Amino acid sequence: MAGSTLIIKDLHVAIEGKEILKGVNLEIKGGEIHAIMGPNGTGKSTLSSAIMGHPKYEVTSGSITLDGQNVLEMEVDERARAGLFLAMQYPSEINGVTNADFLRSAINARRGEGNEISLMKFIRQMDKQMEFLEMDLDMAQRYLNEGFSGGEKKRNEILQLMMLQPKIAILDEIDSGLDIDALKVVSKGVNQMRSDDFGCLIITHYQRLLNYITPDYVHVMMDGRIVKNGGPELAQRLEAEGYDWIKKELGIEDETVEQEA
Amino acid sequence: MTTEIKLPFDKAFVSTFSSAMNEPAWFAALRLKALEQFEQLPMPKTEKTKIEKWNFTQFRQHTVKSQAYSSLADLPEEVKALVDIETSKHNLYIQRNQTPAFLTLSDELKNKGVIFTDIFTAAREHGDLLKKYYMTQAINADEHKLTALHAALVNGGVFVYVPKNVEITEPIQAVFVHDDKEANLFNHVIVVADDNSSLTYVENYISTVEESDTLANILTELVVNTNARVQYGAVDHLAKGMTAYVNRRGVAGRDSEIDWALGSMNEGNTIFENTTNLLGDGSIGDAKMVVVGRGEQTQNFTTKVVHFGKHTQGNILNHGVVKDSATTIFNGIGKIEHGASKADAEQTSRVLMLSEKARGDANPILLIDEDDVMAGHAASVGRVDPVQLYYLMSRGIPQTEAERLVIHGFLAPVVTQLPIEKVKKQLSEVIERKVK
């Protein structure tokens, strides 16, 4: 069987008692690239956090399965080892833990005890991917995300993606705050991952990223639901005309459900 | 009114022990005087920790009999990990409970007049020199009950003397092995660096027994004379159930420097003091420490730098991790005496709590009696950030491993700055064992 399948059914999610997602349905298969677009505060990041299991988000009903396994019953680390990956909008900074030590722990956690990656092999892989992403090799020995610029953090997320080789990845606003060169590098990383074994969900406000990573499916999120589905042409129309026509078409007055940073 | 504490050992016992060790008269007299003073003296004051109910005085055995090690190959594995057994170039003292169990000092250092020997041999063979420094300059026997008890009952320790102008590059190391459940440690370490000398001294206290209801009453006196420099490293790892009073104090002469690199990994309740008295103008005191508390233990750490000399510089950096239901208190004290103009007293203490029941506190205290000085402090106490753990776990790292990374990360900024490679390595290993 080529690739995995992530199925989200009628997902409702609340944060501190307030309902943010009001029934999301989505299916992502290996080999597919999906993009979720939408204005700020419509629930896009909540969806990605809920899939990964962020402690602040509470799933009140609905289901998420990965190849038939119940994702919602898994701990965060189990979700990752099952094949999910989330490139975060705001990656944590962790003082005292080097990027390399962190990544090696993450790889070894997948491989299991007795099957750890050799240090040499790890260093070779990491150097190779860092060069591919045009990252300074010193960043391997810097503390995880500490003092990294916005662009460096995003590249570092893609580095992790490439090193960990997940089955399904979610990229949460990976393009925000990136200049055009960084955007190209990040896109290059994602495109390198493209294969029948890799499914991807890109969350973004802007069409810009989709010029470099062509999606197979485009979804629009408003008011905690996916309100429109289409192909790459939908993203282009949104770029040209904005979101108002959808609101008008669907009779949505206020598309927001939350305060997003 | 102080409650009367009946000691398990009387004057006759102390005299008999002292004669058996063939101690010089002054040493015996110091013991007996301290024993007498014990009654009247107060307990030490410990900021933010009540120690009334802790047992520092009741115990069964003053000394235990242990075999010496005929070679380093006989050492227990935990101890082997602390010493570099491959090399033949050692300046190494190993004490097993109270027994001097192994000693080597290079001929080169012997020829330069360096003294490195157990405290009883020092009292017999270098009595006049020891007398000059023993409980006269750094710590006095009559400070409180525990210093007096220590002076009366000293049962082990080491004396290091570096003569004028001798610079030692290889570290001198002492390992105090506690492998008998009945052994109580009244250990006295005295390190003297005479004018223009330099030394790196590393010591380890290590229990190889899991649990012991005994006592440790450990004093270090460090005397660093004019323009001398001592790097003093210590990694303590005493057994669960052992109540420890640890006091390491240094006195710095003119233009001298004392650098402490301390790791307190004891498993039992611990009162820990580390003081640097910057007596001479231009002297520098730097105290770095990492600690890990776990289980039910309570630990109280006071790091103090006292500025007497002008242009003196003091720096305190403490990081502590607290797990389970343990309690860790940091008291950082920068004290600038009147007349110590241009002194600079800086301190940072940070505590990271890993569980709901863990308790931590960091109290920065500045006591300044002079106008023309600089001083600064930073202190923080916090719990581990759940979003950080989420981030690490989102890459497949299990929670325990994520916590281990966060702990290492929290302590790393201190560990990596420690001036002694050996201590860095030892600490990383002990921390690894403690946080697993």
Side-chain angles (χ1 to χ4, degrees), chain B residues 163-185:
Chain B
K164 281 179 186 165
N165 306 320
V166 173
E167 297 189 28
I168 303 178
T169 45
E170 287 295 306
I172 285 184
Q173 186 180 9
V175 182
F176 302 99
V177 181
H178 175 247
D179 70 353
D180 184 325
K181 276 187 165 190
E182 289 297 319
N184 296 281
L185 307 182

Side-chain angles (χ1 to χ4, degrees), chain A residues 70-142:
Chain A
N70 186 349
V71 170
L72 295 176
E73 277 182 359
M74 299 179 195
E75 295 293 333
V76 176
D77 57 311
E78 293 170 328
R79 297 181 192 201
R81 292 199 299 276
L84 293 177
F85 181 91
L86 170 60
M88 299 201 191
Q89 192 179 356
Y90 304 107
S92 289
E93 299 188 0
I94 298 176
N95 184 258
V97 178
T98 65
N99 221 358
D101 281 349
F102 158 65
L103 256 175
R104 198 146 66 94
S105 293
I107 288 174
N108 285 334
R110 278 149 205 269
R111 296 171 62 112
E113 225 170 297
N115 188 33
E116 285 88 355
I117 189 169
S118 82
L119 185 58
M120 284 315 296
K121 193 175 171 197
F122 170 76
I123 291 172
R124 272 201 308 275
Q125 278 186 16
M126 187 157 179
D127 282 354
K128 187 180 136 204
Q129 306 294 17
M130 288 180 87
E131 271 169 32
F132 182 79
L133 293 171
E134 299 167 35
M135 290 169 75
D136 189 345
L137 293 185
D138 292 351
M139 286 179 74
Q141 292 309 319
R142 281 171 62 186

Side-chain angles (χ1 to χ4, degrees), chain A residues 52-55 76-77 80-81 85-86 88 91-97 102 105-106 109-110 145 157 160, chain B residues 319 385-399 401 404-406 408-410 412-413 416:
Chain A
M52 206 64 229
H54 190 292
V76 176
D77 57 311
R81 292 199 299 276
F85 181 91
L86 170 60
M88 299 201 191
S92 289
E93 299 188 0
I94 298 176
N95 184 258
V97 178
F102 158 65
S105 293
R110 278 149 205 269
N145 292 323
E157 292 293 285
Q160 293 169 37
Chain B
H319 278 206
D385 178 359
V387 176
Q388 283 188 336
L389 289 180
Y390 163 68
Y391 183 70
L392 294 171
M393 289 171 71
S394 78
R395 301 311 184 231
I397 299 172
Q399 182 159 356
E401 174 70 8
R404 196 188 67 87
L405 282 173
V406 170
H408 271 279
F410 183 77
T416 54

Side-chain angles (χ1 to χ4, degrees), chain B residues 10-20 28 31-32:
Chain B
D10 62 8
K11 204 173 154 185
F13 177 88
V14 171
S15 292
T16 308
F17 177 73
S18 180
S19 323
R31 282 184 188 275
L32 293 174

